[in-house]
Amino acid sequence: MKSKEKRRENHLRYGLVLCTHTLHESRTESNELFFTSITQINHGGPDIVHDPSQKSIIAGLNLKAGRLSIALSDYAAAFTLFEHGISYLGDDKWASNYDLSIELYDAAAEAACVLNKRDRVGFHVGELVAHAKTFDDSVHCKFCSLLYYCLLVNLFLKLFFPLLPRRLINRCKGTSKCGSLERVDGFDI
């Protein structure tokens, strides 16, 4: 029986070998092998990789796979891939891999928004905004966050606002404030 560490190293090695064969091809079969290779690499995990430049490359591969997943309308897989990519960047990500960090956090926030993962939207937006060097680096992520909360407010209003006029009218029916109204703004009383 192989040790857990050895199995994880094998996942990484097999994933890297598969990945080298799929990067330059654009066929559908290559996309499937590319996803398989990234899955194998991610099963290895970031703590198996010791070279920081290799971690950066793997983070970029996760970004590429996540974007490909979005193109295939699989936001759940994309979100997972973006989070894996972030995990490969390490603690000094904002200093050593600033551009890649911006792209991964922005993409993760957008995917979390689509998946209605409010806590993850807040986390990724917060991290990106806290570390962005310029407004332009954070504007898309802020927009996604704003759009997410606008959609939530819109949903809330659609669910509860149609009931609001009836409740208000019923509450004041028979009082001196409303008198004997039969119709109010198209609503029968």
Side-chain angles (χ1 to χ4, degrees), residues 94-154:
W94 296 105
S96 61
N97 289 299
Y98 178 78
D99 291 333
L100 185 55
S101 297
I102 290 288
E103 290 184 71
L104 279 165
Y105 274 89
D106 188 40
E110 185 176 356
C113 179
V114 171
L115 295 170
N116 196 25
K117 295 178 178 267
R118 184 179 49 173
D119 59 326
R120 301 311 294 166
V121 171
F123 172 76
H124 291 299
V125 169
E127 280 290 305
L128 193 147
V129 169
H131 294 95
K133 294 177 182 175
T134 67
F135 176 77
D136 288 347
D137 288 343
S138 65
V139 72
H140 182 261
C141 199
K142 288 178 181 178
F143 175 75
C144 287
S145 177
L146 178 65
L147 180 63
Y148 176 73
Y149 289 107
C150 286
L151 290 172
L152 287 179
V153 168
N154 189 26

Side-chain angles (χ1 to χ4, degrees), residues 51 170 177:
D51 180 15
N170 287 340
K177 293 179 184 174

